[in-house]
Amino acid sequence: MFNLSESKYGLHIVIIIIFLLLSLFTVMPVLNMILLGAMIAYGIKPVANRIQSKIKITSISIFLAIIVVIIPLILLFIYVFWETAVFADMFFASHNLSVSSGIDLNLAINTFVQALPVELQGFIKPYLGLLTSGVHEALTYIFNYAIRFIRKFSDVLVQLFVLICSIYYFTRDGDKVMEYIFVFIPKEHRSFFERTLDDVANVLKSIFYGHFLTAIVIGLMGGVGYYFLGYKFALFLGIVTGIAQLVPIFGPWIVYWALAIYAFFVAGDIAQGILTILWGFVLSLSDMYIRPMLASNYADMPSLILLVGFMAGPYVFGIVGFILGPLILGIAYAVIKSFKEELEKDKLEIEKLENNESDNY
């Protein structure tokens, strides 16, 4: 390591540290997009390399890789919003409610309650006022959030622009970034950092294969099952199931239990409700098999790290915290794990030296 008081590079390092801190302060508002871009770039890099082997032009290869990976995600979000709007329109139309002319909240709730079985109506009616108040507060919160979102739309555009730029430049120049970092690492410590980077790569693969890919598989299974069970919006329900799969506390059960309750008490189809619950158990049991199978070849992280990362990440980084939370905690775990292995290695070497010295005596 450099000694700032003795090294001729002391002043240089002080200046670098000052400007690094100023740079961090400057990019702090979009730091989450930069980190997310770096993570996505890691996944896009192999796709870009494969395309580049055919096209030979780096920029075009990266742009095509971004389109291949990002465009389906954008279309997925558009589809989810579209299906939500269609579902809401069908609900309002079926109950003779009009959004454009204004919705009587009390009338909407009363209409919904009257559609329930008589036994359930008797249970809900004493709490009807409380239910109306709760729904009103929830809608107020949603509308206020939408207004704040619209006001900050320019900020959202800036963050999306930073995200796309980060993905492009990290995909193109990610290797150069690592070269800059390794310049400042003493030779005796490079093996530690190389092992740490390998562990970080395994963490990324574990998060993708063990969680995101598992969510995709469970979502597809759920959608197919809901279709054969006769539910409308089966594809939409499958996507919601996959998203719920990403959240450890909730999981897919929150979707299939809601559908089962709807089948039992609203549609009055007991057979459909029972089959929905059984299919839900199949989904949950499949998760126990699919997740270890996909992630077993990569980092073996404690489940608590991912749980805390998924739940705490959104509080710090917003919606992208579902990705950045477990990623950052996973990297911290990988660094500590590498350091522990380094200490154990040094301890074994010291013990060997001591044993050799004792043998010489």
Side-chain angles (χ1 to χ4, degrees):
M1 295 294 290
F2 293 114
N3 189 321
L4 297 183
S5 61
E6 299 177 359
S7 173
K8 64 178 181 179
Y9 299 109
L11 180 60
H12 302 70
I13 294 174
V14 170
I15 294 173
I16 289 173
I17 291 174
I18 290 173
F19 278 95
L20 281 177
L21 292 175
L22 290 174
S23 300
L24 180 62
F25 177 78
T26 303
V27 303
M28 189 61 71
V30 293
L31 182 60
N32 56 349
M33 290 295 108
I34 295 174
L35 293 174
L36 182 60
M39 179 180 178
I40 295 175
Y42 176 83
I44 286 179
K45 183 70 172 178
V47 180
N49 290 339
R50 182 166 295 186
I51 295 175
Q52 189 174 353
S53 64
K54 306 293 183 182
I55 297 180
K56 307 299 182 183
I57 302 176
T58 303
S59 298
I60 295 177
S61 302
I62 294 173
F63 276 119
L64 290 176
I66 291 174
I67 291 173
V68 169
V69 176
I70 300 299
I71 294 301
L73 294 177
I74 295 174
L75 294 176
L76 178 65
F77 281 113
I78 292 174
Y79 172 78
V80 170
F81 283 118
W82 175 264
E83 288 294 293
T84 303
V86 171
F87 176 79
D89 183 66
M90 287 180 58
F91 175 80
F92 293 136
S94 64
H95 293 90
N96 298 319
L97 300 172
S98 173
V99 178
S100 60
S101 61
I103 299 173
D104 187 335
L105 185 60
N106 291 325
L107 175 61
I109 293 177
N110 284 325
T111 303
F112 174 76
V113 172
Q114 289 174 5
L116 299 175
V118 177
E119 298 81 4
L120 200 57
Q121 289 183 34
F123 175 77
I124 292 178
K125 282 183 177 180
Y127 306 99
L128 196 58
L130 184 62
L131 176 63
T132 303
S133 176
V135 172
H136 181 270
E137 291 181 3
L139 290 176
T140 301
Y141 174 81
I142 292 172
F143 289 142
N144 290 335
Y145 181 84
I147 292 172
R148 291 196 301 270
F149 179 83
I150 293 171
R151 288 176 178 173
K152 295 182 178 180
F153 188 67
S154 60
D155 295 339
V156 174
L157 290 179
V158 170
Q159 291 197 348
L160 287 176
F161 178 75
V162 172
L163 175 63
I164 294 173
C165 292
S166 298
I167 293 171
Y168 174 80
Y169 285 107
F170 275 116
T171 304
R172 192 188 70 176
D173 302 325
D175 296 335
K176 295 180 181 178
V177 173
M178 298 312 303
E179 290 177 4
Y180 273 101
I181 293 175
F182 270 89
V183 166
F184 295 94
I185 299 175
K187 290 183 179 180
E188 62 269 20
H189 296 297
R190 286 189 180 180
S191 61
F192 164 73
F193 280 93
E194 288 174 353
R195 287 202 310 273
T196 301
L197 286 177
D198 290 338
D199 288 337
V200 169
N202 288 333
V203 167
L204 288 170
K205 292 176 182 177
S206 177
I207 291 174
F208 175 76
Y209 289 106
H211 300 279
F212 290 102
L213 195 56
T214 300
I216 293 173
V217 174
I218 295 297
L220 290 173
M221 291 176 59
V224 172
Y226 300 144
Y227 174 79
F228 285 108
L229 288 171
Y231 288 103
K232 295 180 180 179
F233 305 100
L235 179 59
F236 172 72
L237 292 171
I239 293 172
V240 174
T241 300
I243 294 173
Q245 173 67 32
L246 290 174
V247 185
I249 289 180
F250 295 101
W253 66 266
I254 194 172
V255 178
Y256 63 75
W257 273 107
L259 292 174
I261 292 172
Y262 173 85
F264 283 132
F265 298 107
V266 179
D269 192 336
I270 297 177
Q272 187 184 47
I274 294 174
L275 290 174
T276 301
I277 294 175
L278 292 176
W279 180 242
F281 285 142
V282 170
L283 293 178
S284 297
L285 292 174
S286 298
D287 171 53
M288 297 173 62
Y289 171 76
I290 295 172
R291 188 188 302 270
M293 181 185 69
L294 294 176
S296 59
N297 295 326
Y298 305 104
D300 183 19
M301 285 190 298
S303 300
L304 180 61
I305 290 177
L306 294 172
L307 173 63
V308 174
F310 275 117
M311 300 309 297
Y315 285 101
V316 180
F317 300 104
I319 190 66
V320 297
F322 281 111
I323 299 175
L324 294 180
L327 172 64
I328 292 173
L329 293 185
I331 291 175
Y333 171 78
V335 171
I336 295 172
K337 179 172 174 286
S338 296
F339 183 60
K340 171 179 172 291
E341 293 174 353
E342 186 80 4
L343 291 177
E344 290 175 347
K345 178 182 176 182
D346 291 342
K347 184 178 179 181
L348 287 175
E349 290 179 356
I350 292 172
E351 290 178 352
K352 287 182 180 179
L353 289 174
E354 292 177 348
N355 291 332
N356 291 334
E357 290 178 358
S358 62
D359 292 338
N360 290 333
Y361 284 114

